[in-house]
């Protein structure tokens, strides 16, 4: 009888194949399976040729080839395919066996599956996997959550195959239920935000007349400073990329889709009531970009600003753009962590925020030096309520905010859209405001709908005023006009 496999992996699309090869290269024996069985043979005869990977011809065959407790990882399309596999696996498994979903599942689905499998005595893990094809093969960022009992069984595999940053694994246990997939969702939302910020910086620079090669040089410089990150690095290379027809970027259509986890992050932000404005703007910017035909028509009809983009000292302004990008990025991450904190409170997750920063520090799309700074902030103060209050980031915004304000106000005067840079600045100004105009809002609500308001110094006591003298004195507690 040949050696039993350490883990099975179902789903031989690009992520699944690369994760298998990664596990194999770390000395684990992996059993590969796929709905379309021919793909197993194809994989064994090609990509996995010469490896220790074994194949399975059916789920029964796969289950029989696994060590106990069995560990089965799904990398199939999120949604019903995951439920189908789980349902087919249940009768084949024993209590204590572990099913892991490494796809981009919605965190509520993961929480539900955890509950369903718990009843059957099975352990369930929903794990975020980030880093794309390359990450999956050589070291992804992994964000596992679900039944904690499963962690000790999968930890050796997960922490061996994941990326390492500063010699530490970019994979830690995240929390109960859907916590792992929630954190992955926020990661993707932050990725949307980072990309939008970079696009806005690019838009400003091209409007100021910089060539692609000049912009590439700027990104190269920023990549050697505090903005050092994978997304800045690839932007540098994209701007430099030429094929036989010249610069490729110039010929790419300016429309983007937004159907994935970025949108879910914005939805979660609204559901939890957390002002994650930058990611929201990043999603909406994609929606606006998709209205290409309407924009083309509108561009012929609607006039913009009278002032043409130009600056007296270009080098100075480019430096302002860098600071604006950096300050807005701090706000975006602060907002993302605010969302995780609120979700943790509501779902009873004990999230380790420094650990999350470390998981994102390497392997994934948002990997950056900046996440090292966030990790350090949470090491300095594990109870840190908001990143903006950490000494390092507070100082960074103090030194960059004049530049940030210059950039946003110039962009407005020039008529260049900077929704992420500007909404982040408005958030910053709102967050640091002792007084916001919501007193007027409360008065308006009470005026037209008798919704009541609180008086300063009498918090918790709700009163109603008959503002016009003609309405009644009765307040409305349920009516929402
Ligand atoms: P396939 O090769 O048989 O299509 C990514 O699409 C992966 O998810 C592939 O391994 C694919 O299997 C699998 N997949 C997609 N939809 C599925 C479904 N409804 N049931 C099972 N596997 C599915």
């Amino acid at each position: 009888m040949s050696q039993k496999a350490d883990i099975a992996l179902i789903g031989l699309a690009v992520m699944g194949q690369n994760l298998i090869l990664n596990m194999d290269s770390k000395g684990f024996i992996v059993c590969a399976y796929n709905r379309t069985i021919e793909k197993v043979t194809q994989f064994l005869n090609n990509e996995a040729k010469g490896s220790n990977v074994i194949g399975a011809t059916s789920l029964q065959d796969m289950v029989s080839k696994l060590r106990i407790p069995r560990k089965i990882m799904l990398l199939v399309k999120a949604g019903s395919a995951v439920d189908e596999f789980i349902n087919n696996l249940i009768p084949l498994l024993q209590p204590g066996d572990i099913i892991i979903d490494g796809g981009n599942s919605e965190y509520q689905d993961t929480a539900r599956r955890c509950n369903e499998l718990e009843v059957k005595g099975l352990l369930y893990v929903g794990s975020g996997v980030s880093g794309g094809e390359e990450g999956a093969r050589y070291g992804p960022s992994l964000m596992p959550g679900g039944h904690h009992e499963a962690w000790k069984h999968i930890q050796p595999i997960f922490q061996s195959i994941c990326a390492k940053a500063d010699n530490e694994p970019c994979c830690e246990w995240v929390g109960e239920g859907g916590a792992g997939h929630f954190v992955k969702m926020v990661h993707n939302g932050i990725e949307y935000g980072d990309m939008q910020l970079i696009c806005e910086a690019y838009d400003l620079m091209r409007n100021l007349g910089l060539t692609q090669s000049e912009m590439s040089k700027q990104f190269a410089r920023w990549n050697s400073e505090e903005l050092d990150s994978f997304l800045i690095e690839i932007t540098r290379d994209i701007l430099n990329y030429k094929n036989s027809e010249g610069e490729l970027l110039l010929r790419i259509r300016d429309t983007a889709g937004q159907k994935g986890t970025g949108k879910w992050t914005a939805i979660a932000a609204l559901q939890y009531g957390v002002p994650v404005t930058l990611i929201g703007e990043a999603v909406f910017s994609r929606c606006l970009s998709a209205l290409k035909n309407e924009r083309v028509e509108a561009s012929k009809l609607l006039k913009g600003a009278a002032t043409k983009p130009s600056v007296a000292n270009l080098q100075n302004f480019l430096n302002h753009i860098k600071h604006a990008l950096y300050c807005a990025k701090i706000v975006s991450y602060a907002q993302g962590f605010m969302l995780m904190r609120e979700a943790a409170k509501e779902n009873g997750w004990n999230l380790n925020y420094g650990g999350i920063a470390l998981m994102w520090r390497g392997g994934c799309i948002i990997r950056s030096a900046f996440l090292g700074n966030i990790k350090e902030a949470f090491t300095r103060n594990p109870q840190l309520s908001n990143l903006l209050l950490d000494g390092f980031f507070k100082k960074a915004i103090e030194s960059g905010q004049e530049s940030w304000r210059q950039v946003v106000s110039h962009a407005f005067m020039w008529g260049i859209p900077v929704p992420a840079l500007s909404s982040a600045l408005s958030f910053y100004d709102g967050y640091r405001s002792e007084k916001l105009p919501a007193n007027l809002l409360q008065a308006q609500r009470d005026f037209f709908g008798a919704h009541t308001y609180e008086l300063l110094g009498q918090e918790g006591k709700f009163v109603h005023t008959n503002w016009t003298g003609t309405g009644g004195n009765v307040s409305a507690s349920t009516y929402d006009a």
Side-chain angles (χ1 to χ4, degrees), residues 10-13 33-37 39 75-77 80-81 84-85:
I10 301 177
L12 294 181
Y33 181 72
N34 195 67
R35 171 181 64 173
T36 314
I37 302 283
K39 285 198 188 161
L75 269 150
V76 298
K77 199 162 173 255
S80 61
E84 273 171 45
F85 271 115

Side-chain angles (χ1 to χ4, degrees), residues 99-154:
I99 300 178
I100 306 152
D101 172 19
N104 252 337
S105 292
E106 242 183 301
Y107 77 100
Q108 283 117 325
D109 280 343
T110 302
R112 167 180 59 77
R113 290 167 186 147
C114 262
N115 291 336
E116 288 166 4
L117 289 182
E118 190 158 334
V119 180
K120 317 243 181 241
L122 296 170
L123 299 175
Y124 192 71
V125 174
S127 180
V129 177
S130 177
E133 188 178 336
E134 179 94 357
R137 178 65 184 86
Y138 298 105
S141 162
L142 297 173
M143 299 152 239
H147 292 135
H148 188 246
E149 247 184 283
W151 179 227
K152 60 175 183 287
H153 299 290
I154 64 169

Side-chain angles (χ1 to χ4, degrees), residues 80-291:
S80 61
V82 177
D83 286 310
E84 273 171 45
F85 271 115
I86 292 175
N87 288 335
N88 293 336
L89 281 168
I90 288 172
L92 307 174
L93 300 180
Q94 289 169 359
D97 286 346
I98 302 160
I99 300 178
I100 306 152
D101 172 19
N104 252 337
S105 292
E106 242 183 301
Y107 77 100
Q108 283 117 325
D109 280 343
T110 302
R112 167 180 59 77
R113 290 167 186 147
C114 262
N115 291 336
E116 288 166 4
L117 289 182
E118 190 158 334
V119 180
K120 317 243 181 241
L122 296 170
L123 299 175
Y124 192 71
V125 174
S127 180
V129 177
S130 177
E133 188 178 336
E134 179 94 357
R137 178 65 184 86
Y138 298 105
S141 162
L142 297 173
M143 299 152 239
H147 292 135
H148 188 246
E149 247 184 283
W151 179 227
K152 60 175 183 287
H153 299 290
I154 64 169
Q155 184 177 8
I157 303 181
F158 270 46
Q159 290 194 335
S160 162
I161 63 165
C162 72
K164 310 289 179 303
D166 307 326
N167 288 324
E168 292 195 72
C170 296
C171 168
E172 243 321 316
W173 183 252
V174 177
E176 292 292 303
H181 274 136
F182 189 88
V183 167
K184 171 66 187 348
M185 176 194 82
V186 175
H187 163 281
N188 284 26
I190 286 179
E191 180 183 311
Y192 268 54
D194 279 358
M195 292 166 77
Q196 175 64 24
L197 285 173
I198 292 174
C199 288
E200 291 176 16
Y202 154 71
D203 204 12
L204 285 164
M205 289 195 278
R206 68 175 175 181
N207 271 287
L208 283 167
L210 270 77
T211 63
Q212 297 233 142
S213 140
E214 285 166 340
M215 286 188 267
S216 180
K217 285 201 184 86
Q218 283 305 313
F219 281 103
R221 176 184 297 177
W222 295 350
N223 197 43
S224 67
E225 300 170 350
E226 63 268 44
L227 283 170
D228 172 1
S229 62
F230 172 70
L231 284 169
I232 295 277
E233 185 186 317
I234 65 165
T235 306
R236 173 199 69 194
D237 297 344
I238 289 168
L239 283 159
N240 257 343
Y241 189 90
K242 293 187 192 75
N243 61 13
S244 55
E245 289 167 71
E247 288 160 325
L248 179 58
L249 182 62
L250 294 175
R251 283 175 287 116
I252 296 180
R253 199 160 180 261
D254 55 327
T255 65
Q258 47 71 42
K259 54 183 161 34
T261 34
K263 179 168 105 181
W264 294 349
T265 312
I267 292 171
L270 289 171
Q271 279 169 340
Y272 287 106
V274 182
V276 188
T277 56
L278 193 144
I279 296 174
E281 288 293 350
V283 178
F284 288 133
S285 296
R286 292 191 186 198
C287 302
L288 184 56
S289 80
L291 304 176

Side-chain angles (χ1 to χ4, degrees), residues 439-476:
N439 53 333
L440 174 58
L441 201 135
Q442 289 299 77
Q444 289 166 334
R445 293 180 74 243
D446 190 58
F447 188 112
F448 66 68
H451 289 292
T452 74
Y453 55 86
E454 289 167 292
L455 282 171
L456 287 168
Q458 294 182 33
E459 286 76 12
K461 187 172 163 216
F462 292 87
V463 291
H464 167 61
T465 292
N466 180 353
W467 295 85
T468 57
T470 56
N473 289 317
V474 182
S475 64

Side-chain angles (χ1 to χ4, degrees), residues 69 187 257 273 299 395:
H187 163 281
S299 73
K395 215 165 130 212

